[in-house]
Amino acid sequence: MSANANPEDLSGEGTPALGTELRVAVARVYSRFRSERGDGEMAEAAVIVLTALYNHGPQSLTELSRRARVTPSSMSQTVNRLVSGGHATRHKDPKDGRRVLFCLTPSGTEVAREALAVRQDWLEGKLAQLSEEERLTLLRASRIMRRLADS
């Protein structure tokens, strides 16, 4: 909530204000989180693909596009760069030979781990600066936000 917001504004007609505050806060935290990079870390689109493959295993171009919310042609450029850079490989789907799955190489796995570690370290450092009460508030809020996102 903005510094001038009144807690009573959260009910009734104030709900749009809460929605705006939440949207802005999430966008700013996400932007800041994405800006935390290790030395020489690759572009955000590539990191998104590598971490998706790291967290969820081999995926098709369509699956990666959906996950990153980009067009298949945009995703194709990203995975082509990752493949040519030695961070990912193409394999035929063992269940459907017409599909191509993208898989991490050891190099891609290392880049994904490093990117996740840098961002997690940044976040843990920021959370450590908060009071216990603030951390508990964020824990409760994160559970509500997951519920909203999963609905």
Side-chain angles (χ1 to χ4, degrees):
M1 231 182 335
S2 65
N4 298 332
N6 182 341
E8 295 163 8
D9 290 342
L10 298 180
S11 61
E13 292 180 26
T15 302
L18 172 60
T20 299
E21 290 290 335
L22 183 59
R23 181 181 47 75
V24 169
V26 168
R28 288 184 66 188
V29 168
Y30 182 65
S31 177
R32 180 65 194 273
F33 190 69
R34 287 178 39 181
S35 73
E36 293 301 317
R37 296 181 176 202
D39 292 337
E41 187 176 305
M42 57 185 61
E44 182 63 20
V47 172
I48 288 171
V49 171
L50 293 177
T51 57
L53 294 173
Y54 181 78
N55 288 325
H56 305 287
Q59 295 178 53
S60 70
L61 185 69
T62 301
E63 291 166 328
L64 289 168
S65 299
R66 276 193 217 128
R67 184 174 301 282
R69 296 181 183 210
V70 298
T71 64
S73 63
S74 176
M75 182 55 67
S76 180
Q77 293 174 10
T78 300
V79 295
N80 284 339
R81 283 192 298 275
L82 290 171
V83 169
S84 68
H87 301 297
T89 57
R90 289 179 177 90
H91 295 281
K92 288 192 180 214
D93 185 338
K95 297 175 186 171
D96 181 352
R98 298 168 296 175
R99 281 184 55 185
V100 173
L101 296 177
F102 293 91
C103 306
L104 286 178
T105 63
S107 169
T109 300
E110 184 57 35
V111 171
R113 281 185 187 148
E114 177 64 24
L116 290 169
V118 165
R119 292 164 187 203
Q120 188 65 30
D121 288 348
W122 172 82
L123 183 58
E124 292 296 330
K126 294 298 181 185
L127 292 173
Q129 296 172 12
L130 301 176
S131 70
E132 183 175 350
E133 181 181 344
E134 289 171 317
R135 288 192 300 272
L136 287 172
T137 298
L138 284 175
L139 177 61
R140 286 191 289 275
S142 67
R143 290 175 179 162
I144 294 167
M145 290 170 69
R146 276 185 185 232
R147 196 172 71 228
L148 288 172
D150 293 342
S151 65

